[in-house]
Amino acid sequence: MMAVPPPAAKPRILYVDDEPDNLQSFRALFRRDFDIHLADSALKAMQILHRETVDVLVSDQRMPGMTGVELLERVSKEFPQVLRFMLTGYSDYDPLVDAINHGRIQGYFAKPLNPGEIKHRIEKGLENVYLKARNEQLLEELKQSQDFLHAIIENIPDMICVKDALNLRFVDFNRAGEDLLGCSRQELLGKSDYDLFSKEEADLSSRRDREVLASRQVMEIPEETITTRHKGQRILSTKKIPILDETGQPRYLLGVSEDITEKITLRQKEQGLEAQLRQLHKMEAIGTLAGGIAHDFNNILAPIFGYTEMAMM
């Protein structure tokens, strides 16, 4: 990817011509505006391209060994980020048109040179190249952000689903949602609650969805029961969140659901054990009380039995 240069940096131009006078004239004309590199043959031009960073290549067409079109075609394959122009006379019109049509060059300059036109077209071409590079950079950054967000959502253990606010059909699901419902994402997308759950469950869910979208407020549902394909009835703790557009109108409905079935089961078992423990404590207290009462009766009966025996004697 081509980086956008700092505003103060001069664009780097490589001019290729086998006439020494033309090389020096080009340098004299454009050295104030550009960082000029010169080559008197296509071979030297390729050596410079492999060694230096070049933004623009301007080549004469008629050169010994390799024509300008042949040079620019090679550069377009090896250095596609370089902006390429050909310097030509009208007699070279056919190869020029062919090179433009096949994308080997971005344009041409006719002889004799017009410095103002050349400067303007190079700057305009570079501006387009830099804008394209910047757009590609922004698109790549956006893609990385989307991939990062997608990876986070995919690895959240709770079910996450997104519905279209207009028709309440699913537009996205994460992996946890697929696992919980026992359906693939392809089966779920485009479906509504009525395609997945019983009418009673779907009616309740849809009513709550409409309430959230109408109020534009988050709704928390501590416990709700759904019927899944392979896991039977599951108990969920759900948050329904309206996603608004730039005008404040609901566009999507986000649902985040934690499967708390095991937590509920454990809580019920814990409550049962606590009840049993309380019963044991009660029985223990009764036993302790009975033991104390028996001990007290023994204390009372002991002298009675003793005096009775003495009286009988």
Side-chain angles (χ1 to χ4, degrees):
M1 182 184 297
M2 184 176 183
V4 180
K10 283 186 178 182
R12 291 146 295 192
I13 297 181
L14 172 59
Y15 177 58
V16 189
D17 197 316
D18 62 335
E19 293 291 338
D21 291 343
N22 291 342
L23 293 174
Q24 297 308 317
S25 296
F26 192 92
R27 184 195 292 275
L29 286 172
F30 300 107
R31 64 185 178 184
R32 290 185 178 180
D33 301 301
F34 307 114
D35 182 7
I36 305 297
H37 298 262
L38 303 175
D40 58 9
S41 69
L43 178 60
K44 289 184 178 179
M46 292 304 299
Q47 291 173 346
I48 292 173
L49 286 167
H50 281 99
R51 187 176 66 247
E52 305 285 346
T53 299
V54 173
D55 300 312
V56 183
L57 173 63
V58 180
S59 175
D60 188 30
Q61 164 64 353
R62 298 192 175 188
M63 296 184 298
M66 185 185 299
T67 67
V69 168
E70 292 171 338
L71 170 63
L72 293 170
E73 181 176 9
R74 182 173 173 182
V75 171
S76 70
K77 295 177 181 178
E78 295 188 35
F79 306 95
Q81 76 279 6
V82 174
L83 195 62
R84 302 172 299 280
F85 292 97
M86 192 165 73
L87 192 63
T88 182
Y90 291 110
S91 59
D92 302 315
Y93 187 75
D94 289 339
L96 171 66
V97 172
D98 182 70
I100 293 175
N101 289 338
H102 289 84
R104 293 189 290 269
I105 65 175
Q106 280 81 26
Y108 72 96
F109 303 126
K111 296 178 180 179
L113 298 183
N114 182 333
E117 178 191 1
I118 292 176
K119 179 176 180 294
H120 173 74
R121 290 183 60 192
I122 288 177
E123 290 175 343
K124 197 68 177 176
L126 286 172
E127 180 182 345
N128 292 335
V129 170
Y130 297 152
L131 286 175
K132 181 181 177 182
R134 179 57 179 162
N135 287 338
E136 291 176 353
Q137 180 182 349
L138 292 173
L139 286 173
E140 180 61 25
E141 292 175 358
L142 177 61
K143 181 179 180 301
Q144 290 178 0
S145 297
Q146 290 175 333
D147 291 345
F148 178 66
L149 179 61
H150 178 73
I152 292 175
I153 293 174
E154 279 296 284
N155 289 281
I156 290 176
D158 298 335
M159 178 175 73
I160 295 179
C161 63
V162 181
K163 296 177 182 177
D164 184 275
L166 182 62
N167 52 32
L168 294 181
R169 293 189 176 274
F170 294 105
V171 297
D172 202 3
F173 257 96
N174 69 342
R175 189 182 302 126
E178 293 179 289
D179 295 340
L180 175 63
L181 299 181
C183 304
S184 68
R185 203 164 311 193
Q186 288 70 27
E187 294 177 273
L188 295 168
L189 298 183
K191 302 293 180 63
S192 72
D193 289 328
Y194 289 94
D195 298 311
L196 303 176
F197 310 115
S198 68
K199 186 177 183 306
E200 292 75 13
E201 292 174 352
D203 284 342
L204 178 59
S205 178
S206 296
R207 185 168 66 252
R208 287 169 170 169
D209 290 345
R210 294 301 181 191
E211 289 177 11
V212 171
L213 294 173
S215 67
R216 294 170 174 77
Q217 299 293 322
V218 176
M219 176 185 289
E220 294 194 26
I221 307 168
E223 292 184 18
E224 63 174 347
T225 302
I226 64 169
T227 303
T228 64
R229 177 178 291 181
H230 302 304
K231 297 182 179 181
Q233 285 196 330
R234 309 297 291 180
I235 304 172
L236 307 182
S237 175
T238 298
K239 285 186 179 180
K240 293 179 180 286
I241 306 164
I243 306 299
L244 309 180
D245 62 18
E246 61 276 4
T247 65
Q249 297 300 313
R251 185 171 184 181
Y252 298 108
L253 181 69
L254 172 65
V256 182
S257 299
E258 178 188 2
D259 185 355
I260 59 172
T261 308
E262 279 72 24
K263 289 183 179 179
I264 296 294
T265 302
L266 289 174
R267 188 169 66 193
Q268 291 172 345
K269 288 181 178 180
E270 182 180 326
Q271 290 171 349
L273 291 173
E274 288 177 352
Q276 293 179 22
L277 183 59
R278 285 195 298 270
Q279 187 65 24
L280 288 174
H281 286 164
K282 289 179 182 179
M283 296 301 295
E284 182 182 359
I286 292 172
T288 301
L289 177 61
I293 292 173
H295 179 72
D296 291 341
F297 270 108
N298 285 335
N299 289 340
I300 295 171
L301 293 174
I304 294 174
F305 289 149
Y307 285 122
T308 302
E309 288 179 358
M310 290 175 63
M312 291 176 66
M313 290 173 59

